[in-house]
Amino acid sequence: MLCTLGIEGERTLLAGAFGGATRWIASDRRTWQAAVLAVAGGALAGCYVWPMILWLLRMEERPQTIAMAAFLAGTLGISGVRALSAVVDARARKMRDA
């Protein structure tokens, strides 16, 4: 499967997965289920969110910076999803209460 994604796809997927693993190691939840979710979520975030990280950091698109952005996306991916979910839930509650 990794070979069909090409060299950049493989690189971003692996960098994101390692970012997710790093996030899991630094977290309070040390269960295997949390590890699998962190690595899978990090891989997906690394694969799809790296362009936004490069844009936010205003960096050139080079192989080294793409891998770094994918790692950061993988590390921040799960936390970002949680934060976005909390914002959406708060706004939904606020609209319901109004």
Side-chain angles (χ1 to χ4, degrees):
M1 180 177 118
L2 292 177
C3 293
T4 61
L5 294 173
I7 189 75
E8 286 308 318
E10 181 179 315
R11 202 179 275 188
T12 57
L13 198 65
L14 288 174
F18 281 121
T22 301
R23 177 73 176 116
W24 174 72
I25 289 169
S27 73
D28 300 350
R29 297 180 182 175
R30 293 275 178 108
T31 64
W32 288 109
Q33 294 89 355
V36 170
L37 288 174
V39 170
L44 289 174
C47 196
Y48 293 110
V49 182
W50 69 262
M52 187 168 50
I53 299 293
L54 279 183
W55 177 77
L56 286 171
L57 296 177
R58 295 184 172 105
M59 298 181 77
E60 288 182 33
E61 190 174 317
R62 296 189 328 237
Q64 295 87 358
T65 58
I66 290 172
M68 183 269 313
F71 179 81
L72 288 175
T75 303
L76 301 173
I78 300 298
S79 300
V81 169
R82 285 183 188 153
L84 182 62
S85 177
V87 167
V88 169
D89 287 343
R91 289 198 182 199
R93 254 185 268 116
K94 188 176 182 180
M95 289 177 68
R96 227 183 350 236
D97 293 341

